Amino acid sequence: MEHQVMPKKKKKKWKHWLPLYLMGIPGMAYLLINNYIPLYGLQIAFKKFNFNKGIWGSKWVGFDNFEYLFTSVQAFRITRNTLLYNLAFILLGMVLGVTVAILINEIVGEKIKKFYQTVILLPYLMSMVIIAYLVYAYLSPTNGLFNSILNTFGIEDINWYGEKKYWPFILVFVNQWKNIGFGMIFYLSSILGISKDYYEAAQIDGATKWQQIRKITIPLLAPTIITLLIISMGQIFRSDFGLFYQIPMRQGSLMPVTDTIDTFVYRSLMQKPNMAMSSAAGFYQSVVGFILIVTVNAIVRKKSKENAMF
Amino acid sequence: MKNMKKFLALLLALILVVSMTACGKSADKSGETGAQATKAPSTDGQTESLINFDEEPYEVAIENVTLGQEYADTAAVEAAINAITVPAINCKVKIVNYHIADHATKVSLAVAGGDKLDLINTGLTTALSTLVSDGVVISLDELLAERGKELLAKAVNLVKATTVDGEVYAVPASLYPSKANGIGYNQQMADEYGITIPENVTLEQLTAIGAKLKAANPDLYLNTQGDGSLTSLNVYYDLEAFGGDLNYGVIFDPLNSTSIVNAYESEQYKEYCKVFKNWKDLGYIPADSLTNGQNGQDVFNAGQTLYQWISVSPTSEQVVAGKGLSFTETLVPITPNELSTAAVQEFAWGITSSCDRPDKAMDFLNFLYTNAEVANLLQYGIEGTHYVKVSDNIITYPEGVNPMSIGYGRIFTQFGDTLQQFQLAPATESYYDDLKAFAAEAKPTKTLGYVFNTDNVATEIAAVASVVSEYRPVLETGMSDNVDATLAEFNAALKDAGIEKIISENQAQLDAWLAEQ
Amino acid sequence: MRRSDQKYWELSAHIVLIIMSFLAIMPFVLLLIASFTDDKVALLQGYSYLPKKLSLAAYGYIWNEAQTILRAYGITITITVIGTLVGMMITTMLAFMLSREGLPGRKVLNFLLIFTMLFNGGLVPQYILYSSTFHIKDTLFALIVPNLLMNAFNVILVKNYFQYSLPTELFEAARIDGASEFTVFKIIALPLSKPILATVGMMTAISYWNDWQNGMYYLNNTKLFSIQSILNAINNSVQFLATNSIEGVRMDEIPSTTVRMAICVVGVIPIIIAYPFFQKYFVKGITMGAVKG
């Protein structure tokens, strides 16, 4: 009897899953074409790339293209800056994003809610080149708005573009200012998905707002937070080129605190472009990101299996 | 009979190539006689004999580099050119527009993807040596000898400067590329404050001029170094930089010397940095140019500075006159009128490695340098629609048309024999004689024809470039508090990055090249 | 007591959000004013809230290109609508598949998805594939398909929403009733996920709206240029000429930096207008959730 049931059940299961697989086909096919087939280009990082010979025909050169990333005197500084800024961006982005999402959720009037959301998203829509001009309008040593405000209080001009101690704060501020609207939206959509029942029950029990946020909102946001955290681990060796290149106006004296892997690669190859060497930098960033994402995911899986991504 | 002629032409071409590579110093003369020698027997029939008129006309794709204009009449211009080229060389032309800012990326993608693109401008956005080592352009030696005889004859003195590792990879866009570096100054401003600027003006003299200007009107500046991304050392000192932006070492006084030195360690550089530090302290140059995003040309055009850097030649005089400034800009050369590898390589034409028919591309290129009618069509479009004649050779835009709204035009790229082509007003008929005289008096540098192959020092070059972009703008805009200290720090960082290895590699290659000449 | 707690929270929320709105709006106002500032004044005195002289020159330059710009808006709207719709379809379907626990091979597929966020083969192989195999050069597909149609990040967000924010009991009930997976997806998952769909949809739309890279790589025919491709071309002209000295170019042909400000305004305004419409779905999503949950 069991003999006959088993295959039948399996068959039924297969039939059950089939529509799901069918639904996944267009997306997976797109990934295959858009992402997987071009992956053979990764070998450029290990070759002396020659257009005439093509990607496959170019000569292998081992790790030659990676050399400039590690032999340079700036190797330590760019790695440190990239990592520390990204950690600050990730943590602050999470705290601020969740806070703002919760606050917006507290607003009752629909119109004003829309207004806040639209306005806070505004900076996200501007390009870094434009933002660099605006930041300069505020910080310019000669006719900047900040210095004229300082002057009215009797404080002397600050040479913003000459003093590196201000720049970690400026860069973190600009980053958060630009991206907070974007981050907030994701958390807000998760909050909106939380059933009102939970809150009603809590209110009947006499829970305060703060208790509701701590006991209901945050725990239910945890999967989103953890997912975004794991994803950002994969990007931790990449940096927002526009932010670090445009906003400090390429000032040499600020570079100890503004130089990251991406700006370094750009500056190194600007004068003599070399596709293989820039591929090598990308490959290096990917490998580090890959190791981190797998590690963090493994840790998460140990703590709570369902929140792991794979 | 025809075969005999073909043989003769080939033989002459061969002699030409041999004489070109064999004679170094007397290349000037041998080139000229070579040119005359080919011209005599080579009639139109000569070239045609190589052309197969039985096949379908091949469509040669040539780029046009734009500032984003649509050039709606491109098809009409192509048709007008085809009407001449199909009967003459059995070629059609297809004009491919690229925006100048995307040019480097799009050319490499087109070549990688095998898109239709045959003739590209080298040097404009990517150095010829890079294009050669990346395999973007192909060797033209055989093609020139076989199908580009007229072109080769005209450019025989110049192609040695587009030779990389013994093979010619491009033909110069201008047959008269020599130039001097110098400055262009605001004549009205100078007159108003009683300033005269002599030829070959020195930094010391300019400092005195700055004092005079500043005393007369404190709101004005002598000059600006912009954001410091472009060096102006080559404006004030005669030097050869091998297309390396000072990073590959330089030869000071390249008309007489062949010794490569580290520019950043030179006395000249120290002096230069100190002058600009002094100018900044005295207010001769803006103190915030490093960050304010204003480039030298904008500030100069707005009448805020006395002078800007510019290269000096009859062509740039004509360009300056056409700028439509509210004042007169007078050009003053500082360095000698030189013919260097860099000057020739700055704008040249190459055939892509993805080109299906390099032979037809060469036919077309050759035709461009011999047939002024086609060159004028490709450069300026159709008479009456895109230009009107002022005199025999001078043209201007039709009324109500400007370079951004015009139906066809070219901004960045040129080709052909300038002496046979129209010129845009305000140039006058005397331009042709001026150009001829200027080209004749140009002196070749000792390294004319030498190209530095950077393959062995790619890592060092990247490392040096990143160090330079960190320190140099600060030094050159006078923003460093202590020039000596910053310069020492800069040079130490350059040593760590391996600048000495680059320079010794460069010198070794140059010595080997010199030995061959 | 509870009411005053609520009031207190709302008040502090207002205070914080007003400060944030101020921080976000003031630079934008500066941008607007800068785009109306006289060029020479901007050159000499920088940008300020109270410029000495106003000018419409920057918009005049854009107005010269009005016809081109209107056509470009048309193209941008077309690709944004098509791209967002198709993209959302394949994104949600893939997310739904990956959200189903127990699906054989789910972990491998999840990993394959995340892998695409880390490694990419670079521009050249992708260009060769799209231009030589699929021949999308100089077609609208070039603006829609490469990179923008679907990305792993959005799939993961939607997947997570399906997985954690929707009540699993609803799915189970439907399945016991004999509903197919596709029916569950259509009848239950999609309607209950409007907040995240609106979010991801809007992000996809913004990335289509703001994209100029696909246009730069795959288009030579300027007639197909989207608004950002045009704006980027103008922007690049300014940028290029500021950092390179090329002889033979007449600078007065080129609009100056105030044009960049105007360009940014022209690119951003439509999004600001369209954004509230997207937000409607947030509201709808809440009411839906309230009724069903």
Side-chain angles (χ1 to χ4, degrees), chain B residues 407-445:
Chain B
Y408 180 80
R410 264 178 197 268
I411 305 178
F412 295 100
T413 48
Q414 55 169 332
F415 34 71
D417 189 342
T418 319
L419 292 182
Q420 296 175 358
Q421 290 166 26
F422 299 147
Q423 289 301 317
L424 269 173
T428 58
E429 295 285 348
S430 70
Y431 168 76
Y432 298 93
D433 288 335
D434 293 348
L435 185 65
K436 220 189 278 179
F438 189 80
E441 72 193 23
K443 296 188 194 81
T445 60

Side-chain angles (χ1 to χ4, degrees), chain B residues 60-254:
Chain B
V60 176
I62 182 170
E63 66 176 14
N64 187 8
V65 184
T66 73
L67 274 170
Q69 296 95 331
E70 273 183 35
Y71 291 148
D73 301 342
T74 301
V77 174
E78 286 169 354
I81 294 171
N82 292 347
I84 303 169
T85 51
V86 171
I89 51 170
N90 203 29
C91 252
K92 284 182 171 176
V93 67
K94 179 172 178 263
I95 298 163
V96 185
N97 290 332
Y98 293 130
H99 190 291
I100 179 77
D102 312 338
H103 179 250
T105 313
K106 291 201 96 160
V107 165
S108 50
L109 284 180
V111 172
D115 297 353
K116 182 119 184 89
L117 179 63
D118 300 327
L119 292 170
I120 58 163
N121 209 282
T122 64
L124 179 65
T125 54
T126 315
L128 178 65
S129 59
T130 307
L131 292 174
V132 172
S133 79
D134 285 355
V136 175
V137 290
I138 57 168
S139 161
L140 304 181
D141 276 348
E142 277 174 34
L143 292 167
L144 272 172
E146 208 174 297
R147 316 183 75 108
K149 288 184 280 282
E150 289 94 339
L151 166 54
L152 187 57
K154 286 190 174 194
V156 70
N157 291 330
L158 303 173
V159 287
K160 64 180 174 186
T162 51
T163 303
V164 179
D165 294 337
E167 289 180 74
V168 176
Y169 280 92
V171 292
S174 164
L175 295 173
Y176 315 95
S178 79
K179 61 179 189 180
N181 284 327
I183 58 176
Y185 68 92
N186 184 329
Q187 184 71 57
Q188 269 76 352
M189 196 189 287
D191 291 347
E192 194 179 340
Y193 303 115
I195 291 167
T196 49
I197 302 183
E199 273 196 19
N200 308 324
V201 63
T202 61
L203 281 170
E204 207 176 321
Q205 289 169 314
L206 283 168
T207 307
I209 290 168
K212 202 166 181 182
L213 179 75
K214 209 68 194 170
N217 186 345
D219 288 341
L220 296 176
Y221 294 109
L222 185 61
N223 177 226
T224 171
Q225 293 276 83
D227 65 359
S229 56
L230 301 168
T231 184
S232 62
L233 188 70
N234 58 339
V235 174
Y236 304 104
Y237 295 96
D238 186 19
L239 57 87
E240 166 67 53
F242 310 97
D245 189 30
L246 310 184
N247 300 356
Y248 304 166
V250 301
I251 297 176
F252 285 106
D253 189 17

Side-chain angles (χ1 to χ4, degrees), chain B residues 193-496:
Chain B
Y193 303 115
I195 291 167
T196 49
I197 302 183
E199 273 196 19
N200 308 324
V201 63
T202 61
L203 281 170
E204 207 176 321
Q205 289 169 314
L206 283 168
T207 307
I209 290 168
K212 202 166 181 182
L213 179 75
K214 209 68 194 170
N217 186 345
D219 288 341
L220 296 176
Y221 294 109
L222 185 61
N223 177 226
T224 171
Q225 293 276 83
D227 65 359
S229 56
L230 301 168
T231 184
S232 62
L233 188 70
N234 58 339
V235 174
Y236 304 104
Y237 295 96
D238 186 19
L239 57 87
E240 166 67 53
F242 310 97
D245 189 30
L246 310 184
N247 300 356
Y248 304 166
V250 301
I251 297 176
F252 285 106
D253 189 17
L255 292 175
N256 302 305
S257 164
T258 56
S259 115
I260 303 173
V261 297
N262 181 350
Y264 302 117
E265 278 193 325
S266 65
E267 277 309 308
Q268 288 93 327
Y269 194 71
K270 191 182 241 177
E271 171 69 26
Y272 163 84
C273 291
K274 285 190 167 163
V275 165
F276 280 96
K277 161 78 177 150
N278 184 30
W279 286 11
K280 183 235 138 193
D281 288 345
L282 294 168
Y284 298 177
I285 54 174
D288 61 348
S289 75
L290 204 51
T291 46
N292 68 11
Q294 301 166 0
N295 68 76
Q297 288 197 53
D298 274 349
V299 184
F300 178 76
N301 293 352
Q304 287 303 299
T305 50
L306 176 66
Y307 76 84
Q308 66 165 342
W309 337 310
I310 197 160
S311 71
V312 181
S313 70
T315 311
S316 57
E317 265 170 28
Q318 174 208 339
V319 170
V320 161
K323 275 207 282 193
L325 294 172
S326 57
F327 51 84
T328 313
E329 181 178 354
T330 309
L331 303 191
V332 172
I334 295 178
T335 67
N337 171 8
E338 278 171 3
L339 188 60
S340 65
T341 304
V344 180
Q345 284 192 3
E346 196 173 4
F347 306 106
W349 289 95
I351 297 178
T352 63
S353 56
S354 62
C355 175
D356 292 330
R357 292 286 303 274
D359 56 330
K360 300 307 286 182
M362 180 51 80
D363 284 347
F364 183 75
L365 205 51
N366 186 52
F367 199 65
L368 267 183
Y369 282 75
T370 47
N371 186 309
E373 199 182 350
V374 168
N376 281 331
L377 271 169
L378 197 58
Q379 186 80 46
Y380 300 110
I382 298 160
E383 186 173 359
T385 318
H386 306 123
Y387 67 86
V388 290
K389 277 197 170 181
V390 177
S391 59
D392 279 354
N393 294 305
I394 303 300
I395 57 168
T396 188
Y397 294 119
E399 212 150 302
V401 169
N402 70 51
M404 292 309 279
S405 69
I406 200 165
Y408 180 80
R410 264 178 197 268
I411 305 178
F412 295 100
T413 48
Q414 55 169 332
F415 34 71
D417 189 342
T418 319
L419 292 182
Q420 296 175 358
Q421 290 166 26
F422 299 147
Q423 289 301 317
L424 269 173
T428 58
E429 295 285 348
S430 70
Y431 168 76
Y432 298 93
D433 288 335
D434 293 348
L435 185 65
K436 220 189 278 179
F438 189 80
E441 72 193 23
K443 296 188 194 81
T445 60
K446 290 223 162 191
T447 56
L448 175 63
Y450 167 68
V451 177
F452 179 32
N453 180 342
T454 56
D455 284 355
N456 291 335
V457 283
T459 299
E460 286 77 13
I461 283 174
V464 164
S466 79
V467 170
V468 166
S469 70
E470 179 170 345
Y471 288 94
R472 204 176 72 184
V474 181
L475 278 165
E476 298 198 354
T477 52
M479 290 303 288
S480 158
D481 294 329
N482 181 340
V483 173
D484 287 316
T486 313
L487 202 52
E489 205 182 308
F490 180 30
N491 276 313
L494 284 171
K495 278 213 177 90
D496 283 345

Side-chain angles (χ1 to χ4, degrees), chain B residues 450-453 456 504-514:
Chain B
Y450 167 68
V451 177
F452 179 32
N453 180 342
N456 291 335
S504 62
E505 170 79 22
N506 193 0
Q507 184 76 63
Q509 284 184 25
L510 175 62
D511 291 343
W513 180 85
L514 286 167

Side-chain angles (χ1 to χ4, degrees), chain C residues 127-195:
Chain C
Y127 177 84
I128 293 174
L129 183 71
Y130 277 126
S131 77
S132 314
T133 311
F134 292 104
H135 301 286
I136 63 164
K137 276 199 80 179
D138 284 326
T139 67
L140 277 185
F141 289 109
L143 297 174
I144 296 174
V145 179
N147 292 332
L148 298 173
L149 198 54
M150 188 183 89
N151 68 60
F153 185 67
N154 286 348
V155 176
I156 290 167
L157 284 173
V158 179
K159 184 201 91 164
N160 269 20
Y161 199 89
F162 287 155
Q163 220 170 332
Y164 303 119
S165 298
L166 297 185
T168 28
E169 312 86 62
L170 271 178
F171 291 109
E172 292 310 320
R175 280 178 194 123
I176 288 165
D177 288 352
S180 75
E181 285 296 336
F182 192 74
T183 319
V184 175
F185 172 66
K186 216 173 75 181
I187 310 286
I188 301 173
L190 280 190
L192 286 180
S193 308
K194 281 198 174 151

Side-chain angles (χ1 to χ4, degrees), chain C residues 11 16 77 159 187 194 235 237 251-252 270 280 291:
Chain C
L11 184 70
V16 173
I77 291 168
K159 184 201 91 164
I187 310 286
K194 281 198 174 151
N235 211 353
S237 306
M251 284 301 287
D252 53 323
K280 233 170 53 185
V291 172

